[in-house]
């Protein structure tokens, strides 16, 4: 079933900025969120499904740079280190092939 992916960028100062909310489409006709959802007359409540998984959260980029607010204020650290980071959300992190190779060279298994 379809779900939503929220994407973020982390900055060196500690700021996490949302970069968007994206629909991950399943393209199933019986999914209420799908672009392929049935358009004919049908009993949607009985025949179709809604989202079956929670929204997912993924940090797409880790930048060493400061966010604009910190750079403009001459700060090296964001005033609230948790700014933009919700402790109740399990954030995933995108790992580039270079990061994975470096981790594996240091004996870290990158498959977990």
């Amino acid at each position: 079933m379809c779900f939503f992916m929220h994407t973020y960028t982390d900055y060196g100062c500690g700021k996490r900025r949302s970069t968007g909310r994206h629909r991950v489409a399943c393209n199933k006709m019986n999914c209420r969120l799908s672009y392929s959802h049935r358009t004919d007359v049908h009993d949607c409540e009985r025949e179709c499904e809604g989202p079956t998984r929670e929204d997912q959260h993924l940090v797409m980029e880790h930048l060493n740079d400061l966010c604009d607010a910190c750079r403009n204020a001459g700060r090296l650290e964001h005033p609230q280190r948790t700014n933009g980071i919700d402790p109740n959300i399990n954030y995933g992190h995108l790992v580039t092939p270079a990061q994975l190779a470096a981790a594996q060279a240091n004996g870290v298994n990158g498959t977990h």
Side-chain angles (χ1 to χ4, degrees):
M1 294 293 117
C2 296
F3 64 94
F4 288 98
M5 176 72 67
H6 301 263
T7 56
Y8 304 88
T9 296
D10 278 356
Y11 290 88
C13 59
K15 170 74 175 177
R16 177 165 291 161
R17 182 177 58 87
S18 172
T19 55
R21 181 175 183 245
H22 316 275
R23 181 188 310 218
V24 179
C26 68
N27 295 319
K28 293 183 179 180
M29 292 182 69
N30 68 332
C31 176
R32 290 186 195 105
L33 290 177
S34 176
Y35 295 117
S36 300
H37 182 242
R38 293 174 54 184
T39 56
D40 63 330
V41 177
H42 65 283
D43 186 352
C44 191
E45 282 298 314
R46 190 172 55 79
E47 298 175 23
C48 300
E49 297 181 42
T52 57
R53 74 187 298 182
E54 295 179 7
D55 288 6
Q56 301 295 302
H57 300 265
L58 183 63
V59 177
M60 299 289 291
E61 286 187 285
H62 296 273
L63 303 176
N64 290 328
D65 296 338
L66 304 173
C67 72
D68 290 339
C70 287
R71 185 174 27 265
N72 293 339
R75 294 187 299 253
L76 295 179
E77 185 173 293
H78 209 76
Q80 300 170 335
R81 281 292 285 173
T82 59
N83 193 1
I85 302 173
D86 184 338
N88 299 313
I89 293 177
N90 182 19
Y91 295 95
H93 296 265
L94 186 67
V95 178
T96 66
Q99 290 170 322
L100 181 58
Q104 289 172 336
N106 290 323
V108 176
N109 183 347
T111 61
H112 298 287

